[in-house]
mmCIF file of all heavy atoms in Angstrom:
data_model
loop_
_atom_site.group_PDB
_atom_site.id
_atom_site.type_symbol
_atom_site.label_atom_id
_atom_site.label_comp_id
_atom_site.label_asym_id
_atom_site.label_seq_id
_atom_site.Cartn_x
_atom_site.Cartn_y
_atom_site.Cartn_z
ATOM 1 N N ALA A 1 30.404 148.930 -17.918
ATOM 2 C CA ALA A 1 30.738 150.118 -17.127
ATOM 3 C C ALA A 1 31.791 149.797 -16.077
ATOM 4 O O ALA A 1 32.665 150.624 -15.783
ATOM 5 C CB ALA A 1 29.479 150.674 -16.464
ATOM 6 N N SER A 2 31.748 148.606 -15.508
ATOM 7 C CA SER A 2 32.708 148.247 -14.464
ATOM 8 C C SER A 2 34.124 148.119 -15.014
ATOM 9 O O SER A 2 35.100 148.237 -14.267
ATOM 10 C CB SER A 2 32.289 146.933 -13.799
ATOM 11 O OG SER A 2 32.425 145.839 -14.694
ATOM 12 N N THR A 3 34.246 147.888 -16.328
ATOM 13 C CA THR A 3 35.578 147.766 -16.930
ATOM 14 C C THR A 3 35.987 149.003 -17.713
ATOM 15 O O THR A 3 37.112 149.061 -18.214
ATOM 16 C CB THR A 3 35.619 146.555 -17.887
ATOM 17 O OG1 THR A 3 34.647 146.722 -18.929
ATOM 18 C CG2 THR A 3 35.322 145.259 -17.142
ATOM 19 N N ALA A 4 35.090 149.980 -17.835
ATOM 20 C CA ALA A 4 35.385 151.264 -18.482
ATOM 21 C C ALA A 4 36.027 151.085 -19.856
ATOM 22 O O ALA A 4 37.167 151.493 -20.082
ATOM 23 C CB ALA A 4 36.292 152.112 -17.584
ATOM 24 N N PRO A 5 35.303 150.502 -20.825
ATOM 25 C CA PRO A 5 35.921 150.212 -22.129
ATOM 26 C C PRO A 5 36.272 151.445 -22.940
ATOM 27 O O PRO A 5 37.086 151.358 -23.865
ATOM 28 C CB PRO A 5 34.842 149.380 -22.835
ATOM 29 C CG PRO A 5 33.551 149.825 -22.213
ATOM 30 C CD PRO A 5 33.888 150.089 -20.782
ATOM 31 N N TYR A 6 35.670 152.598 -22.624
ATOM 32 C CA TYR A 6 35.975 153.815 -23.368
ATOM 33 C C TYR A 6 37.150 154.590 -22.770
ATOM 34 O O TYR A 6 37.600 155.575 -23.341
ATOM 35 C CB TYR A 6 34.750 154.729 -23.431
ATOM 36 C CG TYR A 6 33.610 154.170 -24.242
ATOM 37 C CD1 TYR A 6 32.438 153.747 -23.634
ATOM 38 C CD2 TYR A 6 33.700 154.066 -25.626
ATOM 39 C CE1 TYR A 6 31.385 153.231 -24.374
ATOM 40 C CE2 TYR A 6 32.656 153.555 -26.376
ATOM 41 C CZ TYR A 6 31.496 153.133 -25.749
ATOM 42 O OH TYR A 6 30.462 152.619 -26.486
ATOM 43 N N SER A 7 37.624 154.159 -21.614
ATOM 44 C CA SER A 7 38.746 154.826 -20.969
ATOM 45 C C SER A 7 40.058 154.161 -21.370
ATOM 46 O O SER A 7 40.075 153.064 -21.928
ATOM 47 C CB SER A 7 38.590 154.769 -19.444
ATOM 48 O OG SER A 7 37.376 155.357 -19.036
ATOM 49 N N LYS A 8 41.153 154.836 -21.066
ATOM 50 C CA LYS A 8 42.459 154.251 -21.335
ATOM 51 C C LYS A 8 42.657 153.039 -20.434
ATOM 52 O O LYS A 8 42.490 153.129 -19.212
ATOM 53 C CB LYS A 8 43.562 155.275 -21.081
ATOM 54 C CG LYS A 8 44.956 154.763 -21.410
ATOM 55 C CD LYS A 8 46.008 155.833 -21.180
ATOM 56 C CE LYS A 8 47.402 155.307 -21.515
ATOM 57 N NZ LYS A 8 48.444 156.333 -21.326
ATOM 58 N N PRO A 9 42.986 151.860 -20.992
ATOM 59 C CA PRO A 9 43.146 150.667 -20.150
ATOM 60 C C PRO A 9 44.230 150.861 -19.103
ATOM 61 O O PRO A 9 45.263 151.482 -19.361
ATOM 62 C CB PRO A 9 43.536 149.579 -21.166
ATOM 63 C CG PRO A 9 43.049 150.075 -22.478
ATOM 64 C CD PRO A 9 43.191 151.568 -22.418
ATOM 65 N N SER A 10 43.971 150.318 -17.923
ATOM 66 C CA SER A 10 44.946 150.367 -16.850
ATOM 67 C C SER A 10 44.799 149.113 -16.007
ATOM 68 O O SER A 10 43.704 148.526 -15.958
ATOM 69 C CB SER A 10 44.736 151.619 -15.984
ATOM 70 O OG SER A 10 43.448 151.608 -15.405
ATOM 71 N N PRO A 11 45.857 148.661 -15.333
ATOM 72 C CA PRO A 11 45.746 147.463 -14.494
ATOM 73 C C PRO A 11 44.645 147.613 -13.456
ATOM 74 O O PRO A 11 44.533 148.647 -12.801
ATOM 75 C CB PRO A 11 47.132 147.381 -13.838
ATOM 76 C CG PRO A 11 48.051 148.080 -14.792
ATOM 77 C CD PRO A 11 47.225 149.198 -15.374
ATOM 78 N N GLY A 12 43.803 146.588 -13.328
ATOM 79 C CA GLY A 12 42.681 146.642 -12.403
ATOM 80 C C GLY A 12 41.423 147.209 -13.013
ATOM 81 O O GLY A 12 40.350 147.109 -12.412
ATOM 82 N N ARG A 13 41.525 147.818 -14.181
ATOM 83 C CA ARG A 13 40.346 148.347 -14.873
ATOM 84 C C ARG A 13 40.594 148.210 -16.371
ATOM 85 O O ARG A 13 40.926 149.171 -17.050
ATOM 86 C CB ARG A 13 40.093 149.802 -14.494
ATOM 87 C CG ARG A 13 38.689 150.271 -14.855
ATOM 88 C CD ARG A 13 38.516 151.737 -14.570
ATOM 89 N NE ARG A 13 39.345 152.568 -15.455
ATOM 90 C CZ ARG A 13 39.446 153.900 -15.353
ATOM 91 N NH1 ARG A 13 38.816 154.521 -14.387
ATOM 92 N NH2 ARG A 13 40.189 154.580 -16.202
ATOM 93 N N VAL A 14 40.440 147.001 -16.843
ATOM 94 C CA VAL A 14 40.757 146.724 -18.237
ATOM 95 C C VAL A 14 39.646 145.883 -18.843
ATOM 96 O O VAL A 14 39.134 144.950 -18.221
ATOM 97 C CB VAL A 14 42.125 146.006 -18.370
ATOM 98 C CG1 VAL A 14 42.133 144.702 -17.594
ATOM 99 C CG2 VAL A 14 42.474 145.753 -19.836
ATOM 100 N N TYR A 15 39.251 146.249 -20.040
ATOM 101 C CA TYR A 15 38.286 145.446 -20.800
ATOM 102 C C TYR A 15 39.043 144.625 -21.832
ATOM 103 O O TYR A 15 39.939 145.131 -22.523
ATOM 104 C CB TYR A 15 37.269 146.337 -21.508
ATOM 105 C CG TYR A 15 36.337 145.547 -22.403
ATOM 106 C CD1 TYR A 15 35.199 144.948 -21.888
ATOM 107 C CD2 TYR A 15 36.628 145.366 -23.756
ATOM 108 C CE1 TYR A 15 34.355 144.196 -22.690
ATOM 109 C CE2 TYR A 15 35.787 144.614 -24.564
ATOM 110 C CZ TYR A 15 34.649 144.034 -24.033
ATOM 111 O OH TYR A 15 33.826 143.286 -24.827
ATOM 112 N N ALA A 16 38.681 143.364 -21.949
ATOM 113 C CA ALA A 16 39.248 142.504 -22.987
ATOM 114 C C ALA A 16 38.218 141.445 -23.337
ATOM 115 O O ALA A 16 37.503 140.956 -22.468
ATOM 116 C CB ALA A 16 40.549 141.849 -22.525
ATOM 117 N N ASN A 17 38.137 141.093 -24.601
ATOM 118 C CA ASN A 17 37.151 140.119 -25.056
ATOM 119 C C ASN A 17 37.846 139.063 -25.898
ATOM 120 O O ASN A 17 38.350 139.349 -26.991
ATOM 121 C CB ASN A 17 36.057 140.819 -25.872
ATOM 122 C CG ASN A 17 34.871 139.912 -26.127
ATOM 123 O OD1 ASN A 17 35.000 138.689 -26.130
ATOM 124 N ND2 ASN A 17 33.716 140.498 -26.326
ATOM 125 N N GLY A 18 37.875 137.837 -25.378
ATOM 126 C CA GLY A 18 38.526 136.740 -26.078
ATOM 127 C C GLY A 18 37.858 136.358 -27.376
ATOM 128 O O GLY A 18 38.420 135.583 -28.154
ATOM 129 N N GLN A 19 36.666 136.894 -27.629
ATOM 130 C CA GLN A 19 36.000 136.628 -28.896
ATOM 131 C C GLN A 19 36.608 137.442 -30.033
ATOM 132 O O GLN A 19 36.312 137.187 -31.199
ATOM 133 C CB GLN A 19 34.508 136.943 -28.772
ATOM 134 C CG GLN A 19 33.803 136.012 -27.807
ATOM 135 C CD GLN A 19 32.497 136.581 -27.311
ATOM 136 O OE1 GLN A 19 32.358 137.791 -27.128
ATOM 137 N NE2 GLN A 19 31.530 135.717 -27.069
ATOM 138 N N TYR A 20 37.464 138.410 -29.676
ATOM 139 C CA TYR A 20 38.114 139.219 -30.707
ATOM 140 C C TYR A 20 39.403 139.793 -30.118
ATOM 141 O O TYR A 20 39.404 140.862 -29.518
ATOM 142 C CB TYR A 20 37.196 140.359 -31.160
ATOM 143 C CG TYR A 20 37.525 140.914 -32.542
ATOM 144 C CD1 TYR A 20 36.730 140.592 -33.631
ATOM 145 C CD2 TYR A 20 38.624 141.750 -32.739
ATOM 146 C CE1 TYR A 20 37.009 141.095 -34.897
ATOM 147 C CE2 TYR A 20 38.917 142.259 -33.989
ATOM 148 C CZ TYR A 20 38.102 141.930 -35.067
ATOM 149 O OH TYR A 20 38.394 142.425 -36.322
ATOM 150 N N LEU A 21 40.496 139.065 -30.259
ATOM 151 C CA LEU A 21 41.816 139.506 -29.805
ATOM 152 C C LEU A 21 42.764 139.504 -30.999
ATOM 153 O O LEU A 21 43.022 138.440 -31.580
ATOM 154 C CB LEU A 21 42.362 138.591 -28.716
ATOM 155 C CG LEU A 21 41.774 138.693 -27.303
ATOM 156 C CD1 LEU A 21 42.436 137.670 -26.393
ATOM 157 C CD2 LEU A 21 41.935 140.091 -26.731
ATOM 158 N N MET A 22 43.269 140.682 -31.348
ATOM 159 C CA MET A 22 44.205 140.791 -32.465
ATOM 160 C C MET A 22 45.590 141.166 -31.936
ATOM 161 O O MET A 22 45.781 142.240 -31.367
ATOM 162 C CB MET A 22 43.733 141.835 -33.485
ATOM 163 C CG MET A 22 44.711 142.040 -34.633
ATOM 164 S SD MET A 22 44.161 143.284 -35.832
ATOM 165 C CE MET A 22 42.925 142.332 -36.724
ATOM 166 N N PHE A 23 46.552 140.267 -32.120
ATOM 167 C CA PHE A 23 47.931 140.479 -31.700
ATOM 168 C C PHE A 23 48.790 140.864 -32.895
ATOM 169 O O PHE A 23 48.620 140.316 -33.994
ATOM 170 C CB PHE A 23 48.534 139.205 -31.101
ATOM 171 C CG PHE A 23 47.953 138.772 -29.787
ATOM 172 C CD1 PHE A 23 46.804 137.988 -29.737
ATOM 173 C CD2 PHE A 23 48.568 139.111 -28.597
ATOM 174 C CE1 PHE A 23 46.285 137.562 -28.530
ATOM 175 C CE2 PHE A 23 48.061 138.689 -27.381
ATOM 176 C CZ PHE A 23 46.913 137.913 -27.345
ATOM 177 N N GLU A 24 49.737 141.760 -32.673
ATOM 178 C CA GLU A 24 50.812 141.958 -33.639
ATOM 179 C C GLU A 24 51.742 140.765 -33.522
ATOM 180 O O GLU A 24 52.125 140.368 -32.421
ATOM 181 C CB GLU A 24 51.545 143.266 -33.340
ATOM 182 C CG GLU A 24 52.409 143.770 -34.473
ATOM 183 C CD GLU A 24 53.771 143.115 -34.478
ATOM 184 O OE1 GLU A 24 54.297 142.813 -33.384
ATOM 185 O OE2 GLU A 24 54.321 142.890 -35.576
ATOM 186 N N ARG A 25 52.092 140.153 -34.625
ATOM 187 C CA ARG A 25 52.787 138.874 -34.620
ATOM 188 C C ARG A 25 54.096 138.897 -33.821
ATOM 189 O O ARG A 25 54.361 138.003 -33.010
ATOM 190 C CB ARG A 25 53.065 138.439 -36.064
ATOM 191 C CG ARG A 25 53.851 137.141 -36.176
ATOM 192 C CD ARG A 25 54.209 136.830 -37.630
ATOM 193 N NE ARG A 25 54.977 135.619 -37.717
ATOM 194 C CZ ARG A 25 54.446 134.406 -37.767
ATOM 195 N NH1 ARG A 25 53.130 134.255 -37.742
ATOM 196 N NH2 ARG A 25 55.212 133.334 -37.838
ATOM 197 N N GLU A 26 54.920 139.921 -34.047
ATOM 198 C CA GLU A 26 56.212 139.970 -33.372
ATOM 199 C C GLU A 26 56.035 140.039 -31.857
ATOM 200 O O GLU A 26 56.745 139.370 -31.099
ATOM 201 C CB GLU A 26 57.018 141.170 -33.869
ATOM 202 C CG GLU A 26 58.409 141.258 -33.261
ATOM 203 C CD GLU A 26 59.202 142.428 -33.818
ATOM 204 O OE1 GLU A 26 58.752 143.042 -34.809
ATOM 205 O OE2 GLU A 26 60.275 142.736 -33.251
ATOM 206 N N TYR A 27 55.064 140.847 -31.418
ATOM 207 C CA TYR A 27 54.796 140.911 -29.985
ATOM 208 C C TYR A 27 54.288 139.569 -29.474
ATOM 209 O O TYR A 27 54.725 139.079 -28.424
ATOM 210 C CB TYR A 27 53.764 142.002 -29.689
ATOM 211 C CG TYR A 27 53.187 141.879 -28.292
ATOM 212 C CD1 TYR A 27 53.932 142.248 -27.185
ATOM 213 C CD2 TYR A 27 51.911 141.347 -28.090
ATOM 214 C CE1 TYR A 27 53.424 142.106 -25.901
ATOM 215 C CE2 TYR A 27 51.393 141.212 -26.815
ATOM 216 C CZ TYR A 27 52.151 141.591 -25.723
ATOM 217 O OH TYR A 27 51.657 141.441 -24.456
ATOM 218 N N TYR A 28 53.363 138.972 -30.198
ATOM 219 C CA TYR A 28 52.780 137.701 -29.754
ATOM 220 C C TYR A 28 53.855 136.640 -29.564
ATOM 221 O O TYR A 28 53.907 135.963 -28.535
ATOM 222 C CB TYR A 28 51.740 137.223 -30.763
ATOM 223 C CG TYR A 28 51.105 135.896 -30.393
ATOM 224 C CD1 TYR A 28 49.986 135.850 -29.556
ATOM 225 C CD2 TYR A 28 51.621 134.695 -30.862
ATOM 226 C CE1 TYR A 28 49.405 134.644 -29.218
ATOM 227 C CE2 TYR A 28 51.055 133.482 -30.513
ATOM 228 C CZ TYR A 28 49.944 133.462 -29.685
ATOM 229 O OH TYR A 28 49.383 132.259 -29.328
#
């Protein structure tokens, strides 16, 4: 709830989980 994972991500309120990070190759 403190990271609001169902909301649009924004700086200071972002959810991220290193157990599952998928990058688009060109961006990465």
Side-chain angles (χ1 to χ4, degrees):
S2 69
T3 60
Y6 293 110
S7 302
K8 183 178 180 179
S10 60
R13 197 185 67 185
V14 59
Y15 175 85
N17 192 335
Q19 294 160 326
Y20 202 104
L21 285 178
M22 177 181 283
F23 292 85
E24 196 276 326
R25 177 185 179 85
E26 183 178 349
Y27 165 75
Y28 179 87

